[in-house]
Amino acid sequence: MGKTKNTSLDTVVTDFILLGLSHPPNLRSLLFLVFLLIYILTQLGNLLILLTMWADPKLHAHPMYILLGVLSFLDMWLSSVIVPRLILDFTPARKTVPFGGCVAQLYFFHFLGSTQCFLYTLMAYDRYLAISQPLHYPVLMNGRLCTVLVAGAWVAGSIHGSIQAILTFRLPYCGPNKVDYFICDIPAVLRLACADTVNELVTFVDIGVVATSCFMLILLSYANIVHAILQICTADGRRRAFSTCGSHLTVVTFYYVPCIFIHLRAGSKSPLDGAVAVFYTVVTPLLNPLIYTLRNQEVVCSEEDNSKSRDCE
């Protein structure tokens, strides 16, 4: 049985107040500059990857770079959904968010976040095919098929975001309207509902199914990748094959570990939860282009190296 609030239903909430992150008042200006710099660097870093892909025709039809470009595009939008609103927390500006704005933020947060989950899964599958079946890779994962799979990830993410937004805002909200979080997210918003919130379990089951399924598929892909790498007969070939996956594994770890930590502590109100959430929603989009750029030379050479290392089998 869900909890019921005895607040009068005659009052209808028309906006929400985001309480933001807990922080010492004397650090407000510093935090404003830090998050502003993070946002600018995130946009520039991911834009650089997109421009690099656009400028080089050889990369346009390469599945690995198609997926990387989509990831950069997602990171730019996810950062834009979260960070500008967060930056306002460190200014004298009003913290009020219209009801419709809260709905939109929750929808886009879960839409983009779940699309990233699907994309990470596709990236793991792409690496599996490239390493375990390098000779058949151009047929098994061509540019057209990759585009179709990416489009499917976007559609699935949109459906997931819509389900979360509908389940959350189909309930009446009649006060209070203070969201104890830095964004409009499901746990913080549902605490303000004036009716039975049993659907909180439904929303987290849905989120858990999506995240867990993607994570298990990624683990399965990498189990097969490791098996394939161990079959490579040269130490240099194995090293380069592992290097091919290093960037993706690092990005997946930075995304999933904080995400799992947050959702396993869904009922917690610890300040640590806000800091962890900031890491995977704000910092990770900044780190992704850095991780891939620093390892770019190894990634560019990966296909040739994998094929060569297989010649001795």
Side-chain angles (χ1 to χ4, degrees):
M1 189 69 180
K3 60 182 180 180
T4 302
K5 298 184 179 180
N6 296 321
T7 310
S8 172
L9 295 178
D10 293 336
T11 305
V12 178
V13 170
T14 58
D15 52 41
F16 292 96
I17 299 174
L18 296 178
L19 299 184
L21 295 172
S22 299
H23 63 278
N26 59 323
L27 294 181
R28 180 170 296 179
S29 298
L30 175 62
L31 291 173
F32 172 84
L33 293 175
V34 167
F35 282 104
L36 178 61
L37 181 62
I38 288 176
Y39 180 68
I40 293 173
L41 292 177
T42 298
Q43 299 302 307
L44 291 178
N46 286 287
L47 182 61
L48 178 61
I49 289 180
L50 291 175
L51 291 176
T52 301
M53 290 184 55
W54 177 79
D56 190 342
K58 294 185 296 183
L59 304 182
H60 293 174
H62 197 298
M64 180 173 64
Y65 288 98
I66 293 175
L67 296 173
L68 179 57
V70 174
L71 177 63
S72 294
F73 185 75
L74 282 170
D75 281 337
M76 292 177 71
W77 277 99
L78 182 61
S79 179
S80 296
V81 168
I82 304 297
V83 183
R85 183 70 247 180
L86 179 59
I87 291 174
L88 288 179
D89 290 341
F90 309 114
T91 69
R94 295 185 63 188
K95 310 303 187 294
T96 303
V97 179
F99 189 92
C102 195
V103 175
Q105 187 180 52
L106 187 145
Y107 164 74
F108 280 107
F109 176 54
H110 286 275
F111 163 37
L112 297 171
S114 58
T115 303
Q116 272 196 332
C117 286
F118 299 135
L119 187 68
Y120 287 142
T121 307
L122 291 178
M123 294 174 82
Y125 179 63
D126 173 72
R127 292 300 83 207
Y128 159 69
L129 291 179
I131 290 175
S132 65
Q133 303 186 53
L135 298 179
H136 298 93
Y137 175 74
V139 177
L140 295 174
M141 180 63 83
N142 54 54
R144 180 175 298 179
L145 175 60
C146 183
T147 302
V148 171
L149 292 174
V150 167
W154 279 94
V155 172
S158 179
I159 293 173
H160 175 77
S162 299
I163 291 173
Q164 298 305 312
I166 291 171
L167 287 176
T168 302
F169 291 101
R170 71 180 181 86
L171 300 171
Y173 291 89
C174 48
N177 67 338
K178 293 183 179 180
V179 179
D180 190 14
Y181 209 48
F182 63 95
I183 58 172
C184 289
D185 198 12
I186 294 171
V189 173
L190 282 182
R191 295 189 195 111
L192 306 179
C194 302
D196 187 0
T197 59
V198 69
N199 68 320
E200 183 173 8
L201 177 62
V202 178
T203 60
F204 278 102
V205 167
D206 182 33
I207 294 172
V209 167
V210 170
T212 303
S213 298
C214 291
F215 189 60
M216 294 305 295
L217 288 172
I218 291 172
L219 290 181
L220 179 62
S221 294
Y222 273 97
N224 285 286
I225 286 171
V226 171
H227 180 266
I229 290 176
L230 293 178
Q231 305 305 310
I232 298 175
C233 56
T234 65
D236 185 64
R238 288 193 294 270
R239 181 186 64 80
R240 291 188 176 275
F242 273 119
S243 177
T244 303
C245 307
S247 300
H248 182 247
L249 274 175
T250 304
V251 167
V252 167
T253 302
F254 283 162
Y255 183 84
Y256 271 99
V257 171
C259 188
I260 291 172
F261 177 85
I262 290 295
H263 286 96
L264 286 179
R265 296 160 51 89
S268 172
K269 296 183 180 180
S270 170
L272 179 62
D273 298 333
V276 174
V278 165
F279 182 84
Y280 88 93
T281 58
V282 177
V283 180
T284 299
L286 168 66
L287 295 178
N288 286 351
L290 293 176
I291 293 169
Y292 278 104
T293 301
L294 290 174
R295 304 181 66 89
N296 186 60
Q297 186 58 41
E298 295 174 345
V299 172
V300 166
C301 300
S302 63
E303 300 301 328
E304 180 182 354
D305 293 333
N306 289 333
S307 298
K308 288 181 179 178
S309 63
R310 283 282 177 166
D311 290 342
C312 60
E313 294 183 352

